[in-house]
Amino acid sequence: MSNKTGFTVAVVGATGAVGQQMLKTLDEKNFPIKELKLLSSSRSAGKKVEFQGNEYTLEEAKPESFEGVQIALFSAGGSVSKELAPEAVKRGAVCIDNTSAYRMDKDVPLVVPEVNEADLHNHNGIIANPNCSTIQMVVALEPIRKKHGLKKVIVSTYQAVSGAGWAAVEEMKNQSRDMLDGKEAAPEILPVGGDKKHFPIAFNAIPQIDKFQENGYTFEEIKMMNETKKILHQDELEVAATCVRLPVETGHSESVYIETENGNPGVDELKALLKDSAGVTLKDDPANQEYPMALDSVGLPDVFVGRIRKDLDRANAYHFWVVSDNLLKGAAYNSVQIAESLLKLGLVKPS
Amino acid sequence: MSNKTGFTVAVVGATGAVGQQMLKTLDEKNFPIKELKLLSSSRSAGKKVEFQGNEYTLEEAKPESFEGVQIALFSAGGSVSKELAPEAVKRGAVCIDNTSAYRMDKDVPLVVPEVNEADLHNHNGIIANPNCSTIQMVVALEPIRKKHGLKKVIVSTYQAVSGAGWAAVEEMKNQSRDMLDGKEAAPEILPVGGDKKHFPIAFNAIPQIDKFQENGYTFEEIKMMNETKKILHQDELEVAATCVRLPVETGHSESVYIETENGNPGVDELKALLKDSAGVTLKDDPANQEYPMALDSVGLPDVFVGRIRKDLDRANAYHFWVVSDNLLKGAAYNSVQIAESLLKLGLVKPS
C-alpha cells in the first residue's frame, strides 16, 4: 500500500459523492501517494473501497487518525471539518476542506489555483475549497477581471442534484420513475436535508439551495457572493446570485451577466481571452449550435464557457454561460489541484 | 352545438398543446360561444375533439373556413397565421394570434390584458398574444414600473418543454426513461425542431430556445427583449434575456433582476404592491420555504412571484422569481383573456 516516495494522504468522507471523485482524481493525476488513509463517519467505517488495485477499509475519523498525515482532504460535512481539521493540523497535516466551515475565515485561504494560487502561502494548516458554483464562475471571471476589471456580476444558477449528495440523486431518480408512471413523487431530502419542507425535484426547478438567511437570500447565494469577492480580492465587487436546483444529475450551469470596469472589449476579444485561459474550454459557436451543456461536462475537469454576447444596452456589459462538473472542478478536482499547488510551491514536503 | 346568444369562435390548431388549453379555458370561463369551429392542418383534419359534451370533427383550416367567424384563436404555427389570419380578417373575424408572426408588426397590438388592455382599441383585425416567457414577466414588472419606473431588466429563464409542443414532451419522457435505464437518449426534436443539431433534454439544461440570430442571441431571447419594450411602451427600457430549456414538462420559471427608475422601495413595499396586482399571486415567505415552483403552477392561471429581495450593492435594484403555467397565462389563458377584453370593450359584437 505504499510507494517509495510521496505523501501520506487522508481522505475524509471517502464514500461520498465528492470523496469518490477525490479518489478518482488522485488516481488519474497519479498524485504521489506514499500512504493513503480513507476515513469516514462511524456509520461508513468498515466499508471497503478500492484504489489503484488495492483494497482499503474505511476507518472512523478520529483525532488520532491524522497522526503522520501530511495532506488531509475533507469532504464529510461542515461539522466533521470543524471538529477534526484543527486536530489534523495539530498533528502536522495540511487540510484541504471542501465544506463551507472555514471558507470565510480570514486566516484561511480560499483557493482556486487558476485564480489565486499565491494565497496558499498564507495558509495556517487549513485551506478552503470554495463552493462548487463559485469555483466555475471565478475561473471564467478572472481572465476578464485581470484585463478589463470587473464592476458588477449577476448570476443565476442551474445546479445539479449531485451537489446535494448521492441520496439526493437517488431521490431524483426514484421521483422521476414515479412521475413517469403517473405516481406522486415523495420528497424527503431536497431542497435541503435539514430544512422543514421538502419538494419534488423531478421535472421541477427549486429556487432554494441551502437555508434562507434573514435578508431573503439563501446561504448558497451568500456563499457565491462572499466567496467570489474573497477569491478575486475585490471587496467592492458587486455580486448577486440566485441559486436554483434542477433535475440534472451532474453539471452546474450558470447564466452570468457582467459589467467591466475599464474598456469595452468586443465578443471576439473576450472569446480569444477565455480560449487562452487556464482551466477554461471555450465552446462558443452559435452558428453551429455549439455551447456548453451539463450532460457534456460530466467527468471532465474543464470549466466550459460559451454564449458570450454583448449586452445590447450597456457598452461595458456582457452575458455568458458557464458549465462545469460540480463534483470535479467544483469540488474534488479543485481540491486535488490545491494539493498539487502545495507541492509545487514547496508548502508540503514529502516525508 | 350552439347556444342561443354568443359568438362564432374558431380555434386553429385545436389538437396542439396550446390549442387544447384554449378549449379548456373557453370551457372553464364559460365563454359565450354560439358556434365553435375547430380547425387544423390537413394532417389532423378528421380527428374528433370533445367540447362541453359535444363531439367536434376537426376541419382543415382554409380561407373559407372563416366565413361567419367573429373571433379566431390561432395557435398552429407562424406560417399558418401568416397565411390564414389575413383571410379571416377579410371575412370579418378578429384574430388572436399566439404565434410570433405578427407580434412586432407596428399595426398589431401585442396584449397582456393586465398590462396594456387599452392597446386593443388600435387593432386592425389581428391581435398578437406575446411569447409565453414575456407574458409572465411583464405581469410581474408592470405594477413596479407603474409606481417606480423601470430602467433595466435582466432575466434568465428556466423554460418547460411543453412550450415546444407535445412531441417534445414525449421526447423528454422517453429520454428520461431511457437514461434511468442506463440507455442512450436519442434526441430528435429539441432544442429546435427545425435546427441542425439535437440534444438530449432529460437531466440536462439547454441554453438554446429557437434559432440563433446574427448577434449571438436566440430568437426567443430577442422576442422577450423586444416584446417587453412594446408591451410596456418603453422603447428605451434596457432588457436582456438568457433563455434556457429544462427537463420540466410545464411551468416556466424566471430569475429576474431589475433596476427601478425613481425611488428605492423596500422589499415589503414591493410585496404589498404585487400582492394587490391583477393576475399576480404573491408566494414569498422564505422563513416558511414558500416560493413559486413550476410543478405548483400547473393548471393555474396565475403568475406567481416570490423570492423578492434587494440587491445588496445597488440601492434601486431587486431580484425576484416568477413562475407561471406556460400553456395557460403564457398562451391559451392570455388569448382567451384578450377575447374577453374585446367583448368588454365592445370591440367584437355578438352576431
Side-chain angles (χ1 to χ4, degrees):
Chain A
M1 291 197 190
S2 74
N3 293 335
K4 277 184 188 134
T5 60
F7 299 82
T8 300
V9 175
V11 175
V12 189
T15 55
V18 172
Q20 287 180 24
Q21 296 296 328
M22 282 175 168
L23 292 176
K24 198 162 161 261
T25 305
L26 288 168
D27 177 32
E28 286 173 1
K29 283 180 165 279
N30 206 18
F31 192 85
I33 295 174
K34 188 178 165 192
E35 196 188 331
L36 180 66
K37 284 193 173 188
L38 301 188
L39 305 174
S40 71
S41 63
S42 60
R43 194 168 44 83
S44 292
K47 279 190 188 168
K48 311 277 186 193
V49 169
E50 209 190 87
F51 180 76
Q52 296 187 331
N54 296 313
E55 196 182 70
Y56 290 78
T57 304
L58 267 70
E59 293 170 38
E60 184 181 348
K62 292 180 179 170
E64 54 272 26
S65 313
F66 297 93
E67 293 291 350
V69 169
Q70 290 162 291
I71 299 172
L73 300 166
F74 278 81
S75 188
S79 57
V80 174
S81 296
K82 274 281 179 211
E83 187 195 336
L84 291 177
E87 297 291 343
V89 172
K90 233 187 265 175
R91 289 165 176 82
V94 178
C95 300
I96 301 167
D97 181 28
N98 190 48
T99 76
S100 64
Y102 297 98
R103 286 181 192 149
M104 294 311 296
D105 188 322
K106 66 178 177 39
D107 295 325
V108 173
L110 181 67
V111 175
V112 179
E114 293 89 341
V115 178
N116 63 335
E117 187 182 56
D119 288 354
L120 289 173
H121 288 289
N122 307 322
H123 87 80
N124 296 298
I126 301 175
I127 295 138
N129 192 77
N131 190 44
C132 44
S133 47
T134 310
I135 294 175
Q136 66 184 66
M137 184 168 78
V138 297
V139 168
L141 290 178
E142 175 61 6
I144 303 170
R145 192 201 64 79
K146 226 156 87 182
K147 183 137 188 211
H148 302 286
L150 272 184
K151 192 176 170 188
K152 188 171 187 70
V153 177
I154 299 172
V155 56
S156 294
T157 72
Y158 300 69
Q159 293 184 231
V161 170
S162 59
W166 286 136
V169 171
E170 275 314 298
E171 171 168 273
M172 175 185 75
K173 289 183 177 177
N174 291 334
Q175 284 174 1
S176 301
R177 285 191 192 93
D178 285 348
M179 289 175 69
L180 288 166
D181 292 344
K183 288 186 264 182
E184 284 280 307
E188 290 175 3
I189 300 172
L190 291 172
V192 184
D195 216 339
K196 294 182 291 285
K197 294 182 188 170
H198 302 291
F199 306 118
I201 185 64
F203 306 108
N204 201 12
I206 306 182
Q208 182 190 0
I209 300 182
D210 218 323
K211 291 191 179 178
F212 281 99
Q213 313 294 294
E214 279 291 315
N215 60 3
Y217 287 81
T218 60
F219 187 46
E220 182 83 356
E221 290 160 356
I222 295 292
K223 280 185 275 186
M224 280 196 86
M225 293 152 69
N226 290 340
E227 292 178 17
T228 299
K229 294 179 197 194
K230 178 169 175 175
I231 298 164
L232 299 178
H233 294 282
Q234 191 181 338
D235 278 351
E236 77 289 4
L237 179 66
E238 301 181 11
V239 193
T242 300
C243 291
V244 182
R245 187 78 73 186
L246 299 192
V248 168
E249 183 171 332
T250 298
H252 285 355
S253 306
E254 296 174 348
S255 169
V256 183
Y257 166 83
I258 60 165
E259 293 175 7
T260 55
E261 190 70 69
N262 329 298
N264 176 17
V267 166
D268 288 343
E269 197 181 334
L270 286 184
K271 283 186 186 178
L273 189 61
L274 285 161
K275 196 169 193 246
D276 292 335
S277 298
V280 173
T281 293
L282 185 75
K283 195 168 180 185
D284 193 343
D285 181 2
N288 290 304
Q289 291 176 270
E290 297 211 348
Y291 38 71
M293 282 186 288
L295 276 184
D296 292 341
S297 75
V298 179
L300 300 173
D302 319 50
V303 171
F304 296 91
V305 183
R307 298 228 50 213
I308 304 169
R309 55 211 197 279
K310 267 185 106 75
D311 188 82
L312 301 184
D313 299 303
R314 291 195 186 172
N316 62 333
Y318 304 85
H319 303 265
F320 52 88
W321 181 249
V322 184
V323 179
S324 193
D325 183 322
N326 51 297
L327 300 177
L328 290 181
K329 185 58 186 167
Y333 192 88
N334 195 68
S335 289
V336 177
Q337 271 184 307
I338 291 172
E340 290 181 318
S341 293
L342 288 170
L343 267 54
K344 188 183 80 178
L345 299 174
L347 295 168
V348 185
K349 303 255 181 265
S351 53
Chain B
M1 292 200 195
S2 75
N3 293 337
K4 273 178 190 141
T5 58
F7 298 83
T8 301
V9 175
V11 175
V12 189
T15 55
V18 172
Q20 287 181 24
Q21 296 296 329
M22 282 174 168
L23 292 176
K24 197 162 161 258
T25 305
L26 288 167
D27 176 33
E28 286 173 1
K29 283 179 164 282
N30 205 19
F31 193 84
I33 294 174
K34 187 178 167 194
E35 196 187 332
L36 181 66
K37 284 192 173 188
L38 301 188
L39 305 174
S40 71
S41 63
S42 60
R43 194 168 43 83
S44 292
K47 279 190 187 167
K48 311 277 187 192
V49 168
E50 210 190 85
F51 181 76
Q52 296 187 330
N54 296 313
E55 195 179 71
Y56 291 79
T57 303
L58 267 71
E59 295 170 36
E60 184 181 348
K62 292 180 180 170
E64 52 273 26
S65 312
F66 297 94
E67 294 290 349
V69 169
Q70 291 162 290
I71 300 171
L73 300 166
F74 278 80
S75 188
S79 57
V80 174
S81 296
K82 273 281 179 209
E83 186 195 338
L84 292 177
E87 297 291 342
V89 172
K90 233 187 265 175
R91 288 164 177 83
V94 178
C95 299
I96 301 166
D97 181 28
N98 190 48
T99 75
S100 64
Y102 297 98
R103 285 181 192 150
M104 295 311 296
D105 188 323
K106 66 178 177 40
D107 296 324
V108 172
L110 182 67
V111 176
V112 179
E114 293 90 342
V115 179
N116 63 334
E117 186 182 55
D119 288 354
L120 289 172
H121 288 288
N122 307 321
H123 87 80
N124 297 297
I126 301 176
I127 295 137
N129 192 77
N131 190 45
C132 45
S133 47
T134 310
I135 294 176
Q136 66 184 68
M137 184 168 78
V138 296
V139 167
L141 290 179
E142 175 61 7
I144 303 170
R145 193 201 63 80
K146 227 156 86 185
K147 184 138 188 210
H148 302 285
L150 271 185
K151 192 175 169 191
K152 188 172 189 66
V153 177
I154 300 173
V155 56
S156 294
T157 73
Y158 300 69
Q159 293 183 233
V161 171
S162 59
W166 286 136
V169 171
E170 275 313 299
E171 172 168 273
M172 175 186 74
K173 289 182 176 176
N174 291 334
Q175 284 175 1
S176 300
R177 285 191 192 95
D178 285 347
M179 289 174 69
L180 288 167
D181 292 343
K183 288 186 264 181
E184 283 280 306
E188 290 175 3
I189 300 172
L190 291 171
V192 184
D195 215 339
K196 294 182 292 284
K197 294 182 189 171
H198 303 289
F199 305 117
I201 185 63
F203 306 108
N204 201 12
I206 306 181
Q208 182 191 359
I209 299 182
D210 218 323
K211 291 190 179 178
F212 281 99
Q213 313 294 294
E214 280 289 316
N215 60 2
Y217 288 81
T218 61
F219 188 45
E220 183 83 355
E221 291 160 355
I222 295 292
K223 280 186 276 187
M224 280 196 86
M225 292 152 70
N226 290 341
E227 293 178 16
T228 298
K229 295 179 197 194
K230 179 169 175 175
I231 296 165
L232 300 178
H233 295 282
Q234 191 180 338
D235 278 351
E236 79 288 4
L237 179 66
E238 300 181 13
V239 194
T242 301
C243 291
V244 182
R245 187 78 74 187
L246 300 192
V248 168
E249 181 170 335
T250 298
H252 284 356
S253 305
E254 297 174 347
S255 170
V256 183
Y257 166 83
I258 59 165
E259 292 175 9
T260 55
E261 190 70 69
N262 329 301
N264 176 18
V267 166
D268 289 344
E269 197 180 335
L270 286 184
K271 284 186 185 179
L273 189 62
L274 285 162
K275 197 170 192 238
D276 292 335
S277 298
V280 173
T281 293
L282 185 76
K283 194 167 181 186
D284 194 344
D285 182 2
N288 289 305
Q289 290 177 270
E290 297 211 350
Y291 38 72
M293 282 185 288
L295 276 184
D296 292 341
S297 75
V298 178
L300 300 173
D302 319 48
V303 172
F304 296 92
V305 183
R307 299 229 49 214
I308 304 170
R309 57 212 196 278
K310 267 185 107 75
D311 188 82
L312 301 184
D313 298 303
R314 291 197 186 171
N316 62 333
Y318 304 86
H319 303 264
F320 52 88
W321 181 250
V322 184
V323 178
S324 193
D325 183 323
N326 52 297
L327 300 177
L328 289 180
K329 185 58 185 168
Y333 192 89
N334 196 68
S335 288
V336 177
Q337 272 184 308
I338 291 173
E340 289 182 318
S341 294
L342 287 169
L343 268 55
K344 188 183 80 179
L345 299 173
L347 295 168
V348 184
K349 303 257 182 262
S351 54

